[in-house]
Amino acid sequence: RGGFHPRSRDGCQRAVLRLRTMRIVHLSDPHLLDLDGVSPWRFANKRLTGWVNLRLKRGHAHRPRLVDAIIDDIRALRPDHVAVTGDLTNLALEPEFERARRVIEALGRSPDDVSVVPGNHDLYTRGAQRASRFMKYFDVFARSDRGMDRAGVHPSGPFPFFRVRGPALIVGLSTAVSRLPLVASGYLGASQRDALAAVLADPALRDLTPVVLAHHPVLNPASALRRVLRGLSDADALRDTLLSRPETLSLHGHLHRRGRRTVTRDGATIHVLGATSASLEHHDLDRGAAYNVYDLDDAGHLVGASARVWDASRGDFTDLALNDLHDR
């Protein structure tokens, strides 16, 4: 069960293994498209602009076969926990959710070992939001441990959820809400933030390191326009809540860019860790299909952060460091 992927040759990574006690893998944004049996009338809404965007820009770049390759690689790696930070679907249609559920089940893991939160594409329309479509397919991967159910109220369902796994407190937040066309911003809400603050303040959990899953990053873009169109409206409030603990891992997707940033204040640290799209075929290894790997020691400190990146020239995965992610 121990060790990085057998093909890894980095001595520093091997040294980390002697320290780590828990391995978490993080994948995001597979954007699985499936229109099988879908009536054209289902596109008489925001989905029309989404479909046009797929045809003109993104449909050629997102490859389901890369998601399948990632699932196989994760199975070989045998991590302790799998974190999925949303946008499993493209248009929040039932065939897409069915396909996404099969992909997650292909990991061959118990739902207790896989945590999934929604992205904005999983609540793409008001209809998908009202129908609680995401929760109908992924509720078993988004449940709190017994006795820890303190969910707030959110348009996507009963979030947050809380799970204790080794030295980690897994926290699933939902920032996903249905928006107008061309708007992909997120919203957490006071109800979720209050539930999170109460759990983080629990003395019985103070020795655990929070590993927080959310689709939108806790750090917003520098551009005011991009904050409105793609940011998290209450990112500042969430960041203040997370800085109540000495060390936190904040996992996100949404940007389709892999990397890490660090927030520090008064001795507290948030490791902001972004995963790129699990299906994106791209010539740039910093943007192409990948998943992240995080190692925690027995005290819950982050002792390793890297990525397993699909290298089309080799037809295989390669290990790369998580570089600092700068705003663009």
Side-chain angles (χ1 to χ4, degrees), residues 27 34 43 47 77 84 106 131-132 148 212 245 265 299 312 318 321-322:
L27 66 150
D34 194 326
F43 291 84
R47 287 194 183 97
L77 193 66
V84 186
S132 298
M148 296 191 67
V212 181
R245 297 293 288 267
R265 189 173 71 197
T318 188
L322 277 187

Side-chain angles (χ1 to χ4, degrees), residues 41 44 48 69 93 108 137 141 163 166 202 228 307:
W41 292 107
L48 180 60
L93 291 161
Y137 287 91
F141 302 100
R163 296 169 155 189
D202 188 337
V228 171

Side-chain angles (χ1 to χ4, degrees), residues 99-111:
R99 185 173 189 174
R101 172 73 183 240
R102 291 195 298 270
V103 165
I104 298 303
E105 289 177 339
L107 287 165
R109 307 297 296 273
S110 163

Side-chain angles (χ1 to χ4, degrees), residues 59-321:
H60 68 284
H62 287 270
R63 309 296 189 195
R65 62 179 174 78
L66 298 181
V67 181
D68 294 337
I70 283 176
I71 296 301
D72 289 343
D73 202 61
I74 291 174
R75 285 172 63 97
L77 193 66
R78 299 179 63 195
D80 299 295
H81 202 78
V82 179
V84 186
T85 52
D87 276 3
L88 289 95
T89 69
N90 254 304
L91 303 173
L93 291 161
E94 292 87 349
E96 295 178 323
F97 278 110
E98 291 168 3
R99 185 173 189 174
R101 172 73 183 240
R102 291 195 298 270
V103 165
I104 298 303
E105 289 177 339
L107 287 165
R109 307 297 296 273
S110 163
D112 290 340
D113 297 329
V114 182
S115 296
V116 183
V117 297
N120 54 288
H121 277 264
D122 302 319
L123 274 79
Y124 201 65
T125 63
R126 295 291 177 89
Q129 181 171 292
R130 287 194 301 268
S132 298
R133 200 164 293 153
F134 173 86
M135 290 303 292
K136 286 181 179 178
Y137 287 91
F138 289 101
D139 62 328
V140 296
F141 302 100
R143 289 180 182 170
S144 290
D145 289 344
R146 183 174 297 179
M148 296 191 67
D149 191 357
R150 307 185 192 182
V153 178
H154 190 264
S156 59
F159 288 91
F161 63 83
F162 303 96
R163 296 169 155 189
V164 175
R165 300 291 182 270
L169 171 64
I170 307 293
V171 179
L173 298 174
S174 178
T175 60
V177 289
S178 177
R179 297 295 198 196
L180 294 172
L182 306 180
V183 179
S185 58
Y187 168 74
L188 192 66
S191 180
Q192 280 196 92
R193 296 198 312 271
D194 290 347
L196 172 61
V199 169
L200 294 184
D202 188 337
L205 304 172
R206 65 172 178 261
D207 292 332
L208 299 175
T209 297
V211 178
V212 181
L213 284 58
H215 183 63
H216 294 77
V218 71
L219 289 171
N220 272 329
S223 160
L225 178 61
R226 291 189 65 200
R227 285 198 299 272
V228 171
L229 295 180
R230 294 182 56 81
L232 178 61
S233 61
D234 44 0
D236 292 350
L238 173 58
R239 204 160 54 247
D240 288 343
T241 301
L242 298 182
L243 284 166
S244 67
R245 297 293 288 267
E247 185 173 8
T248 299
L249 277 62
S250 178
L251 280 50
H252 70 87
H254 191 52
L255 303 180
H256 294 188
R257 293 171 59 211
R258 181 179 68 257
R260 62 186 299 176
R261 291 175 283 183
T262 303
V263 179
T264 59
R265 189 173 71 197
D266 299 329
T269 299
I270 305 174
H271 305 282
V272 185
L273 303 162
T276 188
S277 167
S279 63
L280 188 63
E281 187 174 66
H282 201 284
H283 65 276
D284 185 349
L285 289 181
D286 284 336
R287 298 293 300 273
Y291 67 93
N292 293 353
V293 181
Y294 313 126
D295 285 311
L296 305 181
D297 67 14
D298 59 3
H301 300 306
L302 181 66
V303 294
S306 61
R308 295 280 295 163
V309 182
W310 177 255
D311 186 342
S313 66
R314 297 173 53 223
D316 200 357
F317 288 88
T318 188
D319 294 303
L320 294 179

